[in-house]
Amino acid sequence: STLPCDVLTHADLRLRRCSIKMQEEPRYLKRRVIPGSVDVHPTECALVVHYQVEATLLGDYGDPMLGEQKDCQKVIRVRGLGEGSDVGTLAQQIVAKCSNLVHPAKLPEIEQLLYYLQNRRDTARSAAAKRKPPKAKDPFEENEISERAAIDDIEDYCELLYEKVEDKVRGTALILQLSRNPDNLEELSQNEVMLGALARVLREDWSRSLELATNIAYIFFCFSSFSDFQGILQQHKVGATCMAIAESEVKKYEKLRGDVAKRKRKVDEDKKNDDARKEFEKRKKQLVVIGRKQDQFFRVAFYLLLNIAEDTRVEMKMVNKQIVPMLISLLDRDNIELLILVVSFLKKLSIFVENKDAMAKLSVVEKMARIVPCEHDVLLHVSVRFLLNLSFDPQLRETMVKAGLLPKLVSLLTNEQVLVFVLCLLYHISMDDRCKSMFSYTDCIPLVMKLILECPEEKVELEIIALGINLAANKRNAELMCDKGGHRLLMRRALKTRDSLLLKMLRVVSQHEGPTRNLFVPYVSDLAGIVRSAADEELVVECLGILGNLSLPELDFESLVTEFDLVPFINGKLTPGASEDDLVLEVVILVGTMARDESCAALLAKSGIIQNLIILLNSKQEDDEVVLQIVYVFYQMVFHKETRDVIVKCTRNATQVIVVIPCKIKVYVSLQKLQLTSLISCMIRTLK
């Protein structure tokens, strides 16, 4: 058969360009198909037909000018082949449909191959069921066709875009096969006619077939995976078209779901109404079918949008077109792959405050509470990271607790894949004082203690110990940490590894009055030894903090000061400029605690500490906390007669020095002003 030159295929056009060098220009193309052998597919239930295509260019007088042969094959999938299938009828159908490739004389051979496939299919299926778990279904399998696409026939596929919807679906499916091979993208990107036709069909015919829209979106998605080709999508406004389609489909689904819910209520009210029940079942099945098709399109479309959102300007345009509400509405879907994509997109958008606020108004935390926890590792991982982004907002942290996420997150502490992110998320929640007490009603305290005590590293990992420090600020949590020998194990590890952050957590525990504070008494000598010998200033600060919190009457501070010769250490640290402010403050607090013991207070007063404190007071007038603690030391010392006399002897006019203190510091507008006023008043009354 002959074809006019204006319908030549891509391969034929290449032949034509090659023949331009000849004097006579070709006018016709002669094509001939030469059937070959038929074999069974090695792995699938299908037949493989081998054939040759011979193309010859003819001149004006029918003389052959240039010819080319190409070996091809066609895969014929036999989907309905089973144990009870009529092989003879099936073979006749194959020969009838593929008469140009399979000669009728090969009918017996086709029957034999089908018999072989029938037996192989049964044995292979039973063997595979024993060897391999069931493979997850590819959501795009339904859109694939058995016909194999060739890059040389791209012009034929483009012509199908101008035919009926069924032909457009077939044409886009073939182009999609080519697009999924990255090696073809460069050549396809140069075909402006094809790209323009695809964009036009997507824009005009998407409502006629969602399968057609999915194929075209998938083609453009293949281009969006590479930054070099993303300009093609912007040129044809593919992103805007996909968003318009997605918005329309979301509204369509919501409307249908509302109708189904309405019919369900009607059925519940009148259970004997069979017509209403049948209509409800019909609408419900329709909703499931539409939802499945939409999920396929949404996966491709939003993945495409996620790729081109690398450009923040494009992302801003998406936000202005209300992509956030569309994504959040999709959190109600059950398709795991779609949920992974949607949550990933929301996580990317949530780094901007405006997007985060928009998500909060749309109850995103409540919707995420339905997803977390889940059995799918990837979805769980991206969901926890998304919640971590949201947890920087105090109001959203409170919403997470109200939505019941706290016990769910605690249960994930045993999941090593998301452990770090869960720890950070719980740390953010534990920053709120109102939420700290709620941890005691979960398994969080035992799990955190286990992570601390079983940590293989010498220093406990930062995320674990940070959460432990926050939790220890609550008295009930601190008691749970110390329960069943927990305090002893923590102290043993802290003293062995000299972990400053672990000691910080123990220091927070020691702030609570009650039985937990008494547990530190056996370790005061170890702590004092670290204070005198450790070179790490952070370690010394934490040990001083623990000792300063132990305001216990049964604790003999005089013996402790004498045994470890702490007086020179204290005087040295109180010298202005000798140490960091944090260390100086902890030393002053420790002196105030020691001053409660009359014998220790006398020892300190005779060592010249009072003079050093007055000098320090003059140099630290701007530091409210240091001033408050120095006044507290004086407050404790004036209660003892011996130290009171030392204070009077150390100053020309003790009353004048104490009264002048508030005049040397800034005006206080916080609680410290009230504390200072009370302390100074008590000191003046005692001295008088």
Side-chain angles (χ1 to χ4, degrees), residues 407 410-411 413 438-449:
V410 170
S411 66
L413 287 175
M438 298 182 182
F439 282 86
S440 59
Y441 300 102
T442 68
D443 296 330
C444 186
I445 305 300
L447 290 174
V448 171
M449 287 287 292

Side-chain angles (χ1 to χ4, degrees), residues 395-489:
Q395 294 182 351
L396 289 178
R397 291 200 297 266
E398 185 176 351
T399 305
M400 291 179 190
V401 176
K402 291 180 179 179
L405 273 171
L406 181 57
K408 295 180 179 181
L409 293 171
V410 170
S411 66
L412 294 176
L413 287 175
T414 56
N415 189 329
E416 294 184 359
Q417 294 183 351
V418 295
L419 177 59
V420 174
F421 302 107
V422 172
L423 287 170
C424 295
L425 185 50
L426 292 175
Y427 170 78
H428 284 171
I429 296 176
S430 67
M431 291 169 59
D432 303 326
D433 292 335
R434 291 179 296 179
C435 299
K436 285 186 175 71
S437 59
M438 298 182 182
F439 282 86
S440 59
Y441 300 102
T442 68
D443 296 330
C444 186
I445 305 300
L447 290 174
V448 171
M449 287 287 292
K450 182 179 179 180
L451 291 172
I452 292 175
L453 296 175
E454 295 181 1
C455 181
E457 304 295 332
E458 182 178 357
K459 306 290 184 181
V460 180
E461 295 178 4
L462 183 61
E463 295 83 4
I464 301 174
I465 198 63
L467 176 59
I469 292 171
N470 274 5
L471 295 178
N474 178 267
K475 185 175 181 179
R476 176 56 182 162
N477 293 340
E479 292 174 353
L480 291 175
M481 289 180 177
C482 298
D483 193 21
K484 297 180 181 180
H487 178 271
R488 176 175 53 83
L489 296 175

Side-chain angles (χ1 to χ4, degrees), residues 230-286:
Q230 290 181 2
I232 296 174
L233 280 70
Q234 298 181 15
Q235 178 183 350
H236 295 280
K237 299 182 179 180
V238 177
T241 305
C242 288
M243 285 201 61
I245 298 173
E247 182 180 6
S248 178
E249 289 297 322
V250 167
K251 291 179 180 178
K252 177 181 177 181
Y253 185 85
E254 293 298 329
K255 182 179 179 180
L256 184 57
R257 188 169 67 170
D259 182 57
V260 171
K262 182 179 178 181
R263 293 180 183 277
K264 186 178 185 304
R265 289 193 299 268
K266 191 174 181 180
V267 170
D268 294 338
E269 293 173 359
D270 186 6
K271 297 183 178 180
K272 296 181 180 181
N273 191 337
D274 294 336
D275 293 337
R277 181 176 297 278
K278 290 180 181 179
E279 189 64 26
F280 165 69
E281 294 295 337
K282 179 181 176 182
R283 291 286 185 176
K284 186 177 179 181
K285 291 180 181 178
Q286 184 181 1

Side-chain angles (χ1 to χ4, degrees), residues 498 526 528-536 540:
R498 297 204 168 189
D526 297 315
I530 294 176
V531 168
R532 290 296 288 144
S533 61
D536 186 357
V540 174

Side-chain angles (χ1 to χ4, degrees), residues 17-54:
R17 287 195 294 267
C18 293
S19 65
I20 291 178
K21 298 180 180 179
M22 305 181 67
Q23 294 181 355
E24 184 180 2
E25 185 175 350
R27 299 297 303 231
Y28 296 98
L29 170 68
K30 183 178 180 180
R31 305 173 71 183
R32 189 162 67 101
V33 177
I34 305 173
S37 62
V38 182
D39 297 321
V40 295
H41 196 281
T43 57
E44 299 182 13
C45 183
L47 299 178
V48 181
V49 180
H50 301 276
Y51 62 96
Q52 287 184 335
V53 176
E54 186 180 82

Side-chain angles (χ1 to χ4, degrees), residues 377-400:
D377 293 338
V378 178
L379 178 58
L380 178 62
H381 184 269
V382 71
S383 298
V384 172
R385 294 188 63 183
F386 175 45
L387 288 173
L388 178 59
N389 282 5
L390 297 178
S391 67
F392 285 89
D393 187 315
Q395 294 182 351
L396 289 178
R397 291 200 297 266
E398 185 176 351
T399 305
M400 291 179 190

Side-chain angles (χ1 to χ4, degrees), residues 182 185-186 189 220-235 303-314 348:
L185 291 178
E186 182 68 34
S189 66
F220 284 114
F221 160 72
C222 295
F223 286 100
S224 71
S225 301
F226 300 90
S227 301
D228 294 340
F229 299 132
Q230 290 181 2
I232 296 174
L233 280 70
Q234 298 181 15
Q235 178 183 350
Y303 214 145
L304 180 152
L305 294 172
L306 179 61
N307 286 341
I308 64 177
E310 295 175 358
D311 188 342
T312 54
R313 294 172 298 179
V314 176
K348 182 180 187 301

Side-chain angles (χ1 to χ4, degrees), residues 411-606:
S411 66
L412 294 176
L413 287 175
T414 56
N415 189 329
E416 294 184 359
Q417 294 183 351
V418 295
L419 177 59
V420 174
F421 302 107
V422 172
L423 287 170
C424 295
L425 185 50
L426 292 175
Y427 170 78
H428 284 171
I429 296 176
S430 67
M431 291 169 59
D432 303 326
D433 292 335
R434 291 179 296 179
C435 299
K436 285 186 175 71
S437 59
M438 298 182 182
F439 282 86
S440 59
Y441 300 102
T442 68
D443 296 330
C444 186
I445 305 300
L447 290 174
V448 171
M449 287 287 292
K450 182 179 179 180
L451 291 172
I452 292 175
L453 296 175
E454 295 181 1
C455 181
E457 304 295 332
E458 182 178 357
K459 306 290 184 181
V460 180
E461 295 178 4
L462 183 61
E463 295 83 4
I464 301 174
I465 198 63
L467 176 59
I469 292 171
N470 274 5
L471 295 178
N474 178 267
K475 185 175 181 179
R476 176 56 182 162
N477 293 340
E479 292 174 353
L480 291 175
M481 289 180 177
C482 298
D483 193 21
K484 297 180 181 180
H487 178 271
R488 176 175 53 83
L489 296 175
L490 290 174
M491 284 298 303
R492 181 184 300 174
R493 180 183 176 97
L495 295 174
K496 179 180 179 181
T497 62
R498 297 204 168 189
D499 188 345
S500 59
L501 290 178
L502 182 54
L503 283 169
K504 181 185 285 291
M505 189 183 84
L506 290 166
R507 172 187 170 186
V508 176
V509 173
S510 68
Q511 292 176 353
H512 304 293
E513 297 182 357
T516 55
R517 185 174 288 180
N518 295 326
L519 297 175
F520 288 89
V521 174
Y523 302 98
V524 291
S525 297
D526 297 315
L527 296 172
I530 294 176
V531 168
R532 290 296 288 144
S533 61
D536 186 357
E537 191 169 289
E538 293 183 1
L539 191 64
V540 174
V541 167
E542 303 306 333
C543 292
L544 288 171
I546 296 175
L547 293 173
N549 290 332
L550 302 182
S551 54
L552 301 172
E554 64 270 20
L555 192 58
D556 187 1
F557 275 108
E558 182 183 12
S559 301
L560 188 68
V561 171
T562 304
E563 179 181 357
F564 291 94
D565 195 20
L566 293 178
V567 172
F569 171 82
I570 294 174
N571 279 324
K573 300 302 179 185
L574 292 179
T575 304
S579 303
E580 296 292 334
D581 290 346
D582 291 342
L583 181 58
V584 173
L585 177 62
E586 296 304 327
V587 170
V588 175
I589 293 175
L590 177 60
V591 172
T593 302
M594 292 177 172
R596 296 168 63 93
D597 183 354
E598 184 174 1
S599 58
C600 185
L603 177 63
L604 295 174
K606 293 177 182 178

